[in-house]
Amino acid sequence: MEEALLRERLASVRGRLERATEGRWPVPKLIAVTKTHPLEEILPLRALGVTDVGENRVQEIRAKMPALGENFQVHLIGRLQSNKVKYIIEDVCLIHSLDRLSLAEEINRQAELHGRRMPVLVQVSPAGEPQKGGIAPEEVLPFLRQIAPMPGIAVRGLMAVMPDTEDRALLDRLFAGMRTLFERVRDEAVQDVEMRELSMGMSGDFELAARHGATMVRVGSAILGPRQYPTA
Ligand SMILES: *Cc1c(COP(=O)(O)O)cnc(C)c1O
């Protein structure tokens, strides 16, 4: 992609994000979702001030490392199979998609093997779509209490993927519900759990997410253009 186009799209996304928060919230951190895009299209983002990128597949992260890791903080935003944790445990700065105990146990095990404490977000399913991953809102607190004592895991907040819908009223309700859940959990002050980050909002709905107090948005196609091949 041409540098000028990339610059223009990025400026547009940043401007929209700032306007959406209306000074009510800090501007969310922009995570550029680079899945399916080749390194030569991703690396120019660095000079444009992008510090964080998101990828959803372990195999792809491995293929793009170390170039990706030398230039950006890399976030794992997609469904993660337990047997693949070992391949990314040293490379990613934050796992956004922790949604089950068996996965927490494996992250904990691998983190300890590699001498680190792995920052994670617990993925919530705001609309009850289990195929997208995520646990039900009412299960979040009990789940956090189960995983908080694990020495290899550092809980940093919550993440959500919204349903693919044009129904703005529904999205509005779901984003508001996520922010309420985030604050409620934060107020519980579970020991060893930090509620710092609320990762929500993609190309189609990041302004709405920002309006509802997202601290991180994950934006792919609005910056890099359409995905280069279909993904799950
Ligand atoms: C692909 C993806 C995104 C970004 O999607 P866009 O619509 O391209 O912005 C955000 N979050 C997750 C979990 C994704 O898989």
Side-chain angles (χ1 to χ4, degrees), residues 33 35 56 77-78 159 161 201-204 218-222 227 232:
V33 177
K35 67 187 185 199
N56 72 337
I77 60 170
M159 178 270 213
V161 178
M202 309 179 19
S203 290
R218 309 176 307 266
V219 181
S221 47
R227 284 167 213 162

